[in-house]
Amino acid sequence: MLSLRQQQCLHGMGIAQWRKRTSIAASEAETIPSSPTDSAAAELPVDQSPTTVPVEAVTTAIEPIDPVDTEIQATSPPVLDHWDGIINSINACSACELAQNCTQKVPGIGDQKAELMIIGEGPGHDEDIRGEPFVGRSGQLLDRMLAAIGIKREQVYITNIVKCRPPNNRDPKQEEAKQCQAFLRAQIEQIEPRVILSVGRVSAQHLLETSQPVGKLIKDMHQLPGSDIPLKVTYHPAYLLRNPSAKAIAWQDLKLLHKLLQ
Ligand code: URA
């Protein structure tokens, strides 16, 4: 936590401060369960250290974009009927302001014929640097959650609602998610997953086209609209890092997922 004086100094230097992802915690907080009831849930790793990122990291993450490249990219029509086309189209996209500010696109990673597809919200700082979804602290927890039901990261396909990092870890805007929707739909069509795991409020609300709170969505099984693919909602790992007691519910979700995949 920066002191008031440090904050004033940074402000004076024109450096934006990194903020915690309070939106997820705030909107999901209404559903915090009392305490873990299952020993396996209790074993899911607990990590309560702050999730802020050093200011230096923020200031080095943004690189200028080449205006000539942008012009060429903007004119290329997306080709979404095969994998290379999808990835190239994502990498070439400049349809919204997120593309202007990210270090690189984060299309997704994993088995392109995976039975389980995991869809998060959008890349964070670490993902933006690495070009791979869920590689920061949230990603490490996600990996351990999967391992708890015997699934390796390489066996699933992991992606996000938006493929570029929203600045200051803000939620993706409706129009940004809409711009990315065709890419996500094309990825789902290629993968044909048996089950989708939607992690967190932003992912669940976009996928299910609803504004219902995640605490409600988590209680039911869903289907991806316009398809017969079963969709399970669970808490975002970032939320679980802040609210370890919610791991009891996440563990129930994981067990259900395991059952669906058998
Ligand atoms: N949070 C997400 O929703 N996606 C990521 O890739 C990383 C963190």
Side-chain angles (χ1 to χ4, degrees), residues 21 120-124 127 132-135 138 160 199 236:
R21 275 183 188 255
E121 167 183 337
E127 292 76 21
E132 185 176 327
F134 282 101
V135 290
S138 292
N160 285 301
V199 294
H236 196 286

Side-chain angles (χ1 to χ4, degrees), residues 103-107 109 123-136 140 143 153:
T103 304
Q104 60 186 313
K105 308 295 171 63
V106 184
I109 193 139
H125 170 266
D126 295 327
E127 292 76 21
D128 178 69
I129 301 292
R130 290 262 301 271
E132 185 176 327
F134 282 101
V135 290
Q140 288 158 21
D143 289 350
R153 182 178 171 89

Side-chain angles (χ1 to χ4, degrees), residues 57-128:
V58 177
T59 54
T60 53
I62 301 171
E63 285 181 8
I65 52 154
D66 181 340
V68 177
D69 274 352
T70 310
E71 206 171 298
I72 293 166
Q73 289 163 6
T75 57
S76 329
V79 180
L80 300 177
D81 59 357
H82 60 274
W83 267 109
D84 287 351
I86 297 169
I87 303 303
N88 290 341
S89 300
I90 292 172
N91 285 330
C93 179
S94 57
C96 76
E97 71 166 271
L98 297 187
Q100 320 300 322
N101 295 315
C102 66
T103 304
Q104 60 186 313
K105 308 295 171 63
V106 184
I109 193 139
D111 182 352
Q112 295 174 352
K113 279 289 161 208
E115 297 197 328
L116 174 61
M117 184 167 183
I118 300 177
I119 304 177
E121 167 183 337
H125 170 266
D126 295 327
E127 292 76 21
D128 178 69

Side-chain angles (χ1 to χ4, degrees), residues 122-161:
H125 170 266
D126 295 327
E127 292 76 21
D128 178 69
I129 301 292
R130 290 262 301 271
E132 185 176 327
F134 282 101
V135 290
R137 290 176 59 240
S138 292
Q140 288 158 21
L141 177 56
L142 181 66
D143 289 350
R144 294 194 292 266
M145 289 164 70
L146 292 174
I149 52 167
I151 298 178
K152 294 195 185 98
R153 182 178 171 89
E154 311 80 73
Q155 293 176 287
V156 304
Y157 192 86
I158 311 177
T159 189
N160 285 301
I161 296 288

Side-chain angles (χ1 to χ4, degrees), residues 221-233:
M221 258 323 283
H222 305 270
Q223 278 189 342
L224 181 73
S227 82
D228 57 2
I229 304 172
L231 186 152
K232 179 77 193 87
V233 175

